[in-house]
PDB file of all heavy atoms in Angstrom:
ATOM      1  N   ALA A  47     -29.166  83.405  41.318  1.00  0.00           N
ATOM      2  CA  ALA A  47     -30.324  83.894  42.080  1.00  0.00           C
ATOM      3  C   ALA A  47     -30.160  85.361  42.445  1.00  0.00           C
ATOM      4  O   ALA A  47     -31.098  86.006  42.893  1.00  0.00           O
ATOM      5  CB  ALA A  47     -30.519  83.057  43.347  1.00  0.00           C
ATOM      6  N   ILE A  49     -29.527  87.783  40.328  1.00  0.00           N
ATOM      7  CA  ILE A  49     -29.935  88.667  39.245  1.00  0.00           C
ATOM      8  C   ILE A  49     -31.361  88.336  38.801  1.00  0.00           C
ATOM      9  O   ILE A  49     -31.786  87.192  38.848  1.00  0.00           O
ATOM     10  CB  ILE A  49     -28.959  88.582  38.051  1.00  0.00           C
ATOM     11  CG1 ILE A  49     -28.853  87.157  37.533  1.00  0.00           C
ATOM     12  CG2 ILE A  49     -27.605  89.144  38.423  1.00  0.00           C
ATOM     13  CD1 ILE A  49     -28.047  86.999  36.277  1.00  0.00           C
ATOM     14  N   PRO A  50     -32.108  89.349  38.396  1.00  0.00           N
ATOM     15  CA  PRO A  50     -33.504  89.104  38.037  1.00  0.00           C
ATOM     16  C   PRO A  50     -33.663  88.380  36.697  1.00  0.00           C
ATOM     17  O   PRO A  50     -32.767  88.398  35.859  1.00  0.00           O
ATOM     18  CB  PRO A  50     -34.100  90.515  37.963  1.00  0.00           C
ATOM     19  CG  PRO A  50     -32.956  91.398  37.641  1.00  0.00           C
ATOM     20  CD  PRO A  50     -31.758  90.764  38.291  1.00  0.00           C
ATOM     21  N   SER A  69     -38.563  91.063  38.368  1.00  0.00           N
ATOM     22  CA  SER A  69     -39.038  89.781  38.894  1.00  0.00           C
ATOM     23  C   SER A  69     -37.892  88.780  38.940  1.00  0.00           C
ATOM     24  O   SER A  69     -37.125  88.650  37.989  1.00  0.00           O
ATOM     25  CB  SER A  69     -40.167  89.209  38.025  1.00  0.00           C
ATOM     26  OG  SER A  69     -40.534  87.935  38.517  1.00  0.00           O
ATOM     27  N   PHE A  70     -37.823  88.081  40.053  1.00  0.00           N
ATOM     28  CA  PHE A  70     -36.832  87.023  40.238  1.00  0.00           C
ATOM     29  C   PHE A  70     -37.486  85.640  40.145  1.00  0.00           C
ATOM     30  O   PHE A  70     -36.832  84.640  40.413  1.00  0.00           O
ATOM     31  CB  PHE A  70     -36.145  87.190  41.588  1.00  0.00           C
ATOM     32  CG  PHE A  70     -35.128  88.306  41.637  1.00  0.00           C
ATOM     33  CD1 PHE A  70     -35.523  89.628  41.666  1.00  0.00           C
ATOM     34  CD2 PHE A  70     -33.773  88.025  41.661  1.00  0.00           C
ATOM     35  CE1 PHE A  70     -34.598  90.656  41.721  1.00  0.00           C
ATOM     36  CE2 PHE A  70     -32.827  89.046  41.707  1.00  0.00           C
ATOM     37  CZ  PHE A  70     -33.241  90.365  41.742  1.00  0.00           C
ATOM     38  N   VAL A  71     -38.762  85.584  39.776  1.00  0.00           N
ATOM     39  CA  VAL A  71     -39.445  84.291  39.631  1.00  0.00           C
ATOM     40  C   VAL A  71     -38.740  83.523  38.519  1.00  0.00           C
ATOM     41  O   VAL A  71     -38.620  84.016  37.397  1.00  0.00           O
ATOM     42  CB  VAL A  71     -40.946  84.466  39.318  1.00  0.00           C
ATOM     43  CG1 VAL A  71     -41.592  83.115  39.019  1.00  0.00           C
ATOM     44  CG2 VAL A  71     -41.652  85.148  40.478  1.00  0.00           C
ATOM     45  N   GLY A  72     -38.270  82.339  38.847  1.00  0.00           N
ATOM     46  CA  GLY A  72     -37.491  81.536  37.912  1.00  0.00           C
ATOM     47  C   GLY A  72     -36.028  81.426  38.324  1.00  0.00           C
ATOM     48  O   GLY A  72     -35.255  80.718  37.696  1.00  0.00           O
ATOM     49  N   ARG A  73     -35.649  82.109  39.389  1.00  0.00           N
ATOM     50  CA  ARG A  73     -34.306  81.998  39.944  1.00  0.00           C
ATOM     51  C   ARG A  73     -34.404  81.273  41.274  1.00  0.00           C
ATOM     52  O   ARG A  73     -35.285  81.579  42.052  1.00  0.00           O
ATOM     53  CB  ARG A  73     -33.658  83.374  40.182  1.00  0.00           C
ATOM     54  CG  ARG A  73     -33.488  84.204  38.955  1.00  0.00           C
ATOM     55  CD  ARG A  73     -32.288  83.756  38.156  1.00  0.00           C
ATOM     56  NE  ARG A  73     -32.007  84.781  37.150  1.00  0.00           N
ATOM     57  CZ  ARG A  73     -31.612  84.481  35.920  1.00  0.00           C
ATOM     58  NH1 ARG A  73     -31.471  83.237  35.540  1.00  0.00           N
ATOM     59  NH2 ARG A  73     -31.361  85.444  35.078  1.00  0.00           N
ATOM     60  N   ALA A 103     -35.146  90.833  45.454  1.00  0.00           N
ATOM     61  CA  ALA A 103     -36.103  89.836  44.972  1.00  0.00           C
ATOM     62  C   ALA A 103     -37.390  89.851  45.792  1.00  0.00           C
ATOM     63  O   ALA A 103     -38.477  89.622  45.265  1.00  0.00           O
ATOM     64  CB  ALA A 103     -35.474  88.446  45.013  1.00  0.00           C
TER      65      ALA A 103
END
Side-chain angles (χ1 to χ4, degrees):
I49 58 173
S69 176
F70 284 74
V71 174
R73 299 281 192 218

